[in-house]
Amino acid sequence: MQLSRQIEPVYRELADTLRRELGDYQAGDYLPAEIRLAARFAVNRHTVRRAIDELVSEGSVLRRQGKGTQVLERPLIYPMVAESAYSQSVSALGHGVEAKLLKRSNCLASRDEAMHLGLADQAPLIELQTLRLIDNQPVSLIRHRFCASRTELLAAYTGGSLRQFFAERDVPLTRSFSLIGARLPSREEAGLLMMPRHLPALSVLTLSRDAFGQPVELSQSTSRSDRFQYQVIT
């Protein structure tokens, strides 16, 4: 099979072809060796390498030294509705989900945080930082902030779904709103999520309320855009 070499650089045309063919692979499979791809498409290995670089930068494949180019998982689609809980929704799709508590700290509310949580400026907050793993792979880093009055309740939390933790204590939470954006991860975030710093991360600010409509939790999640996608359902 030969490429046209007409409309765009050959390596980009080859990248498009390889991208379409990724659907024929399972996560964890390896692409054919570069020399085999070069022979198949009648191009040199440098062209193949540049085409694969395109897929690597997108997070579709990963080069493993001494092994080859491995196909990565397709992005997981998370349906975002008011009552949805991260862990339960992802588990229902057949994936193993784990939430690790990384840090517990105290802080003061910024003006925006105070407005969302119905508190005074500089009101004391308790912050929990959790790392979400799907099938043992880090996907999301979440910063949860609550009014300091919840400190005693949250003292028993050691990991797992916070939504379920509150529900088991008769405080069911419902998502009030979510603001979705994208940005580059910090060095710390990239390290925890095991992602390159040039790859954009999805950022979601979410306010959750209790059954009486009172604001309880303001969370800020940072997720790998190559592993995670949000589906907004209305």
Side-chain angles (χ1 to χ4, degrees):
M1 177 180 177
Q2 293 191 347
L3 302 176
S4 68
R5 296 180 171 84
Q6 292 179 359
I7 300 175
E8 58 184 347
V10 177
Y11 77 90
R12 287 185 178 169
E13 188 178 352
L14 176 54
D16 288 340
T17 300
L18 294 176
R19 190 181 294 110
R20 289 193 297 269
E21 293 182 356
L22 288 179
D24 298 329
Y25 293 86
Q26 297 294 322
D29 288 348
Y30 284 85
L31 295 181
E34 289 182 0
I35 192 169
R36 290 180 56 192
L37 290 173
R40 175 189 168 192
F41 293 104
V43 296
N44 59 46
R45 289 186 64 180
H46 177 70
T47 299
V48 172
R49 193 168 296 116
R50 290 195 67 183
I52 292 177
D53 284 343
E54 295 279 300
L55 303 184
V56 170
S57 67
E58 296 168 5
S60 299
V61 300
L62 178 68
R63 282 195 174 91
R64 294 193 177 278
Q65 188 171 2
K67 294 184 177 181
T69 304
Q70 188 176 37
V71 178
L72 297 176
E73 286 278 0
R74 278 55 165 184
L76 177 70
I77 297 177
Y78 171 53
M80 182 179 286
V81 294
E83 294 79 16
S84 63
Y86 187 117
S87 297
Q88 292 178 345
S89 296
V90 176
S91 295
L93 296 174
H95 297 275
V97 185
E98 182 181 4
K100 291 184 177 181
L101 176 62
L102 300 182
K103 186 165 55 177
R104 185 190 304 267
S105 59
N106 298 310
C107 58
L108 299 177
S110 66
R111 179 174 298 179
D112 286 345
E113 291 170 337
M115 177 189 67
H116 289 311
L117 291 170
L119 303 172
D121 287 359
Q122 300 295 297
L125 301 177
I126 178 170
E127 177 180 309
L128 304 179
Q129 188 179 83
T130 63
L131 179 66
R132 300 299 177 93
L133 298 96
I134 298 177
D135 298 331
N136 297 315
Q137 298 298 314
V139 172
S140 299
L141 184 65
I142 309 178
R143 186 194 70 195
H144 315 259
R145 289 193 170 182
F146 306 87
C147 175
S149 63
R150 305 279 181 179
T151 300
E152 185 176 349
L153 173 65
L154 288 166
Y157 176 76
T158 58
S161 168
L162 267 166
R163 189 66 63 92
Q164 183 177 344
F165 175 86
F166 274 93
E168 290 171 350
R169 288 155 180 79
D170 297 321
V171 188
L173 299 181
T174 299
R175 181 180 291 104
S176 177
F177 74 82
S178 291
L179 298 177
I180 304 175
R183 60 177 175 78
L184 294 178
S186 67
R187 186 179 301 276
E188 179 186 13
E189 290 168 338
L192 289 169
L193 293 172
M194 298 176 63
M195 64 182 293
R197 291 196 66 191
H198 71 266
L199 184 70
L202 293 173
S203 176
V204 181
L205 177 70
T206 297
L207 177 67
S208 296
R209 300 177 182 270
D210 63 17
F212 302 99
Q214 296 301 309
V216 174
E217 175 195 23
L218 187 65
S219 67
Q220 179 77 56
S221 68
T222 303
S223 302
R224 293 190 58 146
S225 58
D226 61 332
R227 297 286 190 276
F228 210 74
Q229 294 180 347
Y230 290 95
Q231 180 183 21
V232 179
I233 300 176
T234 58

